[in-house]
Amino acid sequence: MLNPQLEVSLLKPEEAEQYMRIRHEVFRPTMNKIFYSRGEPSQKTLDRVTEETRDGIINKGIFYLKCTDRSTGEMIGGARWRYAKPKEEGARERTWDEVEAGFTIPEPYDESNPGLIRNLHRLLNTNKRAILGNRPYYTLVTCVVLPQHERRGAGSMLVQWGCERADEAGVEAYLEASLVGAPMYARHGFKPVKQIELDTKKFGAEENEQFILMLRPAKADGTP
């Protein structure tokens, strides 16, 4: 059941910095340890993340979402969805060139360990290629909700937005979940496909990072 106090809508380019700060705060105890393993990100790095978000909205067709508390107007969470679809109108599959073009490894941040970042993306890309092949799909890249606003339904609303678009397009939805986040995604029809482990110990972490790869089947006829 949707929370009537909350609203999900597309993020505006001028809201990119606000989204970045929510993402940074939520990821501080988890993914930030991978992204910024050499220390707290500088303002230069935060500005780069903001600009990457803005560019994704304006030029790359990435769906950045915000969840707003209607009573206060406060942005309390956000998400990043991407639709990997064929460039050719009417095509049912992507070309392999299109598939490979989506597997670029981003330039590390100043506070990143380049080897760790490369290993992360290679691990995720290899498994995504094996699981999805050249089929079109929606993918949830990021879903974050401020801790003080958890358990209000914001995360579910951000996930449901992409699931509905995947259903409309008749394609699968895919994500890489943390062990903690997987049960919430399962409630939206995502099924675990594989559990993988990123070797972060050799880069100084106490434990390796684990992800559950999850796939939500296509619903071509739009039925629930």
Side-chain angles (χ1 to χ4, degrees):
M1 182 176 177
L2 299 181
N3 185 338
Q5 294 181 328
L6 304 180
E7 179 182 30
V8 167
S9 58
L10 291 172
L11 190 75
K12 299 175 183 178
E14 60 269 26
E15 296 170 322
E17 182 179 1
Q18 194 174 355
Y19 172 92
M20 177 277 295
R21 296 200 177 280
I22 291 174
R23 172 184 177 272
H24 178 72
E25 183 60 31
V26 175
F27 278 173
R28 187 185 295 276
T30 55
M31 291 303 293
N32 281 8
K33 293 180 179 180
I34 296 177
F35 297 145
Y36 316 120
S37 59
R38 291 179 169 172
E40 187 70 13
S42 65
Q43 188 59 49
K44 173 188 171 185
T45 293
L46 297 178
D47 289 344
R48 176 183 155 189
V49 176
T50 298
E51 187 52 41
E52 288 169 346
T53 301
R54 189 178 292 117
D55 182 59
I57 296 170
I58 297 172
N59 299 315
K60 296 182 178 177
I62 298 172
F63 301 108
Y64 282 93
L65 306 177
K66 61 181 177 181
C67 184
T68 306
D69 187 324
R70 294 176 187 268
S71 63
T72 63
E74 179 188 4
M75 188 188 303
I76 66 169
R80 175 184 173 186
W81 281 93
R82 185 173 65 86
Y83 184 15
K85 63 178 180 178
K87 290 183 179 179
E88 182 181 344
E89 190 70 30
R92 299 176 65 88
E93 295 180 335
R94 297 176 294 152
T95 68
W96 283 106
D97 284 343
E98 290 170 355
V99 172
E100 295 304 320
F103 291 148
T104 57
I105 296 177
E107 187 70 23
Y109 301 108
D110 292 344
E111 299 80 14
S112 301
N113 183 307
L116 177 57
I117 294 297
R118 283 195 298 269
N119 286 359
L120 169 67
H121 286 281
R122 285 171 181 164
L123 178 66
L124 299 182
N125 290 345
T126 297
N127 281 280
K128 189 179 289 184
R129 184 187 293 108
I131 293 168
L132 290 157
N134 63 342
R135 304 192 303 277
Y137 61 93
Y138 268 82
T139 181
L140 177 60
V141 183
T142 304
C143 184
V144 288
V145 177
L146 288 170
Q148 63 268 33
H149 291 285
E150 290 178 350
R151 302 189 183 282
R152 297 182 62 196
S156 279
M157 292 173 69
L158 291 164
V159 174
Q160 187 61 29
W161 184 96
C163 291
E164 289 174 356
R165 270 113 193 119
D167 288 347
E168 290 169 2
V171 300
E172 298 158 292
Y174 178 83
L175 56 84
E176 295 123 357
S178 67
L179 302 186
V180 173
M184 189 268 282
Y185 299 123
R187 291 195 291 273
H188 288 270
F190 285 89
K191 302 181 185 302
V193 176
K194 185 178 180 181
Q195 186 164 328
I196 60 174
E197 184 172 275
L198 176 66
D199 185 356
T200 53
K201 284 185 178 179
K202 67 180 180 183
F203 296 98
E206 294 183 2
E207 296 182 358
N208 289 339
E209 194 71 31
Q210 307 215 16
F211 302 92
I212 298 179
L213 310 182
M214 307 186 75
L215 194 63
R216 185 176 184 272
K219 299 181 180 178
D221 59 358
T223 59

